[in-house]
């Protein structure tokens, strides 16, 4: 089981006080806190191993390269990719989706159709709209089912035509917490010969991901949501796809030979890594994976599931509180509204009581439209959160409710 007190010692930020109260950090969906070992790894890299990667004959450059590549090997094993060639470093989920839309999407023709879902983050909508403006593709949308929590899988099946060329959906909704049946989504798409991108930003920190078991064609995620540094992300892609795709950006590192008439590309994964990467952040991400693996992904999932159950039970008992997102398979994300109170007001008052939640549309405006609301208050949990913090949240909501509603 999870020794939360021991884990919390790695996060000095959790001891901070705001307005005379110890911080209750419940904005983990936006970004997680960072354990000391990750910050130590960043600092060690800057202080002792800073030399540009892949270019150097010097021992220090080779050292930096090795530290970066160690992370790539670790990620490859962690998500069960077939080889390091399938693991590309990006700036984050957003860049990963943009890279696929722009590069894989290059082959799409006017009238080709892609399928997204109504619960997508803007990061999995706008890159496809940019592609639509360039290529004239058609965007189709899987609607929410009548439970307003899960995807309407019947409609999904019916959206396929002979023009469908891509499906791109989130593994876990950052607003509803819904864990989508991505294995089924992928297998339906594959039965039509259609590849699938999975936005795993909200899944990877909370459950074990096996890209081969899922049979995902692309899987993207961000380091900063999984206890790692900011500015680093991963784009997993099946080798056969990556090999068939043109580079996303041009520059140093991604070439084999440059002449003015003609340039050839470096082999995978470097073809998609133009310029100097954030090798400091990438190497420190390794420590974040160690942190999670030491606890165990299954234990993290169990601990968060317990917090979710406990918090849900307590919150539904609060008068005039409405939870949005009641899927049976749900990650520890709770969006709610309190009577007629504006989410921003609720969030601001909770902040004055030392609780960090997020308010607003959560970069999912189409989902807000589907729910007929402008925004929610969102409390989201990580492995260092406790039942005591849930109690503080619930008591604080009860305290602010009469002022707001
Ligand atoms: N997709 C989902 C589901 C997300 O929750 C987020 C971050 N809120 C993103 C994509 C974008 O991630 P990033 O900003 O790290 O690129």
């Amino acid at each position: 089981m999870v020794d939360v007190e021991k884990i919390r010692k790695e996060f000095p930020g959790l001891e901070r006080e705001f307005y005379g109260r110890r911080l209750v950090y419940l904005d983990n969906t936006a970004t997680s806190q960072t354990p000391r070992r990750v910050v130590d790894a960043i600092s060690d890299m800057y202080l002792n191993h800073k030399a540009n990667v892949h270019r150097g004959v010097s021992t220090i450059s080779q050292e930096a390269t090795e530290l970066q590549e160690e992370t790539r090997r670790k990620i490859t094993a962690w998500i069960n990719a077939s080889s390091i060639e399938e693991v590309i470093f990006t700036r984050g989920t957003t860049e990963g989706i943009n890279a696929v839309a722009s590069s894989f999407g290059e082959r799409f023709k006017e009238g080709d159709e892609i399928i997204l879902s109504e619960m997508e983050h803007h990061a999995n909508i706008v890159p496809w709209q940019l592609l639509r403006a360039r290529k004239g593709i058609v965007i189709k949308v899987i609607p929410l089912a009548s439970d307003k929590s899960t995807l309407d899988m019947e409609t999904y099946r019916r959206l396929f035509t002979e023009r469908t060329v891509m499906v791109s959906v989130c593994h876990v909704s950052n607003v509803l917490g819904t864990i989508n049946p991505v294995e089924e989504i992928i297998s339906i798409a594959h039965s039509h010969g259609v590849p699938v991108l999975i936005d795993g930003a909200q899944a990877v920190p909370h459950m074990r991901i096996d890209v081969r078991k899922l049979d995902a064609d692309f899987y993207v995620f961000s380091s900063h949501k999984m206890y790692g540094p900011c500015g680093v992300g991963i784009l997993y892609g099946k080798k056969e796809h990556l090999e068939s795709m043109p580079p996303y950006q041009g520059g140093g590192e991604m070439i084999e030979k440059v002449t003015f008439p003609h340039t050839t590309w470096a082999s995978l994964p470097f073809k998609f890594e133009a310029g100097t990467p954030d090798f400091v952040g990438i190497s420190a991400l390794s420590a974040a994976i160690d942190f999670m693996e030491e606890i165990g992904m299954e234990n993290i999932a169990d601990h968060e599931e317990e917090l979710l159950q406990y918090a849900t039970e307590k919150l539904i008992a609060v008068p005039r509180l409405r939870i949005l997102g009641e899927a049976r398979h749900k990650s520890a994300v709770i969006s709610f509204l309190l009577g007629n109170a504006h989410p921003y007001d609720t969030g601001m008052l909770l902040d004055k009581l030392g609780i960090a939640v997020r308010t607003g549309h959560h970069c999912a405006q189409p989902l807000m439209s589907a729910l007929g609301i402008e925004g929610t208050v969102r409390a989201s949990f990580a492995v260092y959160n406790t039942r005591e913090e849930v109690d503080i949240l619930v008591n604080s909501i009860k305290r602010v409710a009469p002022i707001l509603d």
Side-chain angles (χ1 to χ4, degrees):
M1 287 317 288
V2 173
D3 184 349
V4 181
E5 284 318 309
K6 182 168 162 239
I7 290 169
R8 289 179 71 92
K9 291 207 169 68
E10 286 211 51
F11 296 85
L14 295 175
E15 295 306 315
R16 287 196 62 193
E17 292 198 352
F18 290 85
Y19 306 103
R21 290 181 165 83
R22 196 176 74 180
L23 171 66
V24 174
Y25 186 77
L26 298 176
D27 196 12
N28 295 287
T29 298
T31 197
S32 67
Q33 293 298 310
T34 315
R36 191 185 290 281
R37 69 175 87 184
V38 171
V39 180
D40 286 348
I42 293 170
S43 141
D44 181 48
M45 195 72 185
Y46 270 118
L47 295 175
N48 298 310
H49 307 283
K50 189 149 186 275
N52 209 328
V53 289
H54 293 308
R55 284 179 198 133
V57 65
S58 65
T59 307
I60 188 167
S61 167
Q62 286 169 25
E63 220 172 65
T65 306
E66 176 50 29
L67 286 163
Q68 169 177 288
E69 293 307 311
E70 186 189 330
T71 301
R72 198 188 311 268
R73 288 194 296 274
K74 209 171 264 187
I75 299 267
T76 303
W78 195 56
I79 63 172
N80 195 28
S82 301
S83 79
I84 57 151
E85 295 166 294
E86 298 185 324
V87 174
I88 291 155
F89 291 121
T90 64
R91 281 192 302 114
T93 305
T94 302
E95 188 177 30
I97 300 172
N98 274 279
V100 175
S102 154
S103 169
F104 192 75
E106 191 54 40
R107 69 194 63 189
F108 299 163
K109 307 264 182 312
E110 190 174 344
D112 281 350
E113 299 168 359
I114 65 158
I115 298 176
L116 309 178
S117 93
E118 208 164 28
M119 63 169 77
E120 297 311 310
H121 187 279
H122 296 162
N124 196 23
I125 300 174
V126 185
W128 303 107
Q129 291 176 322
L130 294 175
L131 184 67
R132 179 173 64 187
R134 220 154 41 86
K135 293 279 180 182
I137 59 162
V138 175
I139 296 176
K140 292 179 150 187
V141 182
I142 315 167
L144 288 185
S146 55
D147 64 5
K148 298 286 179 202
S149 300
T150 58
L151 292 177
D152 178 347
M153 292 296 284
E154 274 321 300
T155 303
Y156 170 57
R157 285 170 198 276
R158 286 201 303 270
L159 288 180
F160 286 88
T161 71
E162 67 285 355
R163 296 301 308 266
T164 310
V165 289
M166 185 94 202
V167 172
S168 189
V169 293
C170 61
H171 196 158
V172 173
S173 159
N174 66 316
V175 178
L176 303 170
T178 308
I179 302 174
N180 284 320
V182 283
E183 227 170 312
E184 190 187 349
I185 288 172
I186 292 169
S187 105
I188 292 168
H190 285 178
S191 72
H192 294 274
V194 173
V196 182
L197 181 149
I198 301 293
D199 168 357
Q202 298 301 344
V204 170
H206 309 289
M207 60 186 80
R208 189 169 294 289
I209 301 301
D210 182 332
V211 289
R212 271 193 283 176
K213 183 158 174 279
L214 291 176
D215 202 17
D217 295 276
F218 299 98
Y219 197 102
V220 291
F221 52 101
S222 300
S223 153
H224 70 96
K225 295 182 193 287
M226 48 182 271
Y227 312 103
C230 295
V232 176
I234 276 81
L235 159 61
Y236 159 81
K238 282 184 181 168
K239 188 175 169 187
E240 72 212 64
H241 294 316
L242 295 175
E243 273 181 337
S244 74
M245 289 159 58
Y248 162 56
Q249 292 177 329
E253 302 304 321
M254 50 71 71
I255 54 86
E256 179 190 54
K257 173 102 180 128
V258 179
T259 62
F260 277 108
H262 185 64
T263 290
T264 53
W265 316 134
S267 55
L268 289 174
F270 307 110
K271 183 170 91 173
F272 294 102
E273 293 180 359
T276 301
D278 182 356
F279 56 88
V280 172
I282 292 169
S283 61
L285 173 57
S286 184
I289 295 168
D290 292 347
F291 166 77
M292 288 188 285
E293 277 300 317
E294 266 175 40
I295 303 166
M297 293 311 294
E298 290 71 18
N299 292 332
I300 292 175
D302 287 350
H303 175 73
E304 293 176 356
E305 168 70 18
E306 199 204 309
L307 287 177
L308 174 68
Q309 298 294 341
Y310 183 64
T312 305
E313 248 168 56
K314 293 236 154 183
L315 285 171
I316 52 179
V318 175
R320 291 175 56 70
L321 186 144
R322 176 159 73 106
I323 291 179
L324 296 109
E326 296 178 305
R328 204 154 52 81
H329 296 293
K330 196 177 157 178
S331 178
V333 176
I334 304 181
S335 270
F336 64 92
L337 287 169
L338 200 51
N340 294 318
H342 194 283
Y344 180 78
D345 294 335
T346 312
M348 223 172 52
L349 289 182
L350 289 176
D351 178 58
K352 300 288 178 287
L353 295 172
I355 302 171
V357 290
R358 187 142 298 239
T359 63
H361 56 64
H362 313 296
C363 298
Q365 286 178 343
L367 175 61
M368 295 300 127
S369 300
L371 297 171
I373 57 176
E374 275 183 31
T376 74
V377 185
R378 182 184 69 188
S380 54
F381 300 86
V383 71
Y384 42 64
N385 290 123
T386 63
R387 284 165 81 97
E388 186 203 346
E389 289 180 314
V390 172
D391 292 338
I392 295 171
L393 171 70
V394 174
N395 291 336
S396 303
I397 291 172
K398 284 181 183 159
R399 194 168 151 196
V400 304
I403 307 171
L404 288 166
D405 194 23

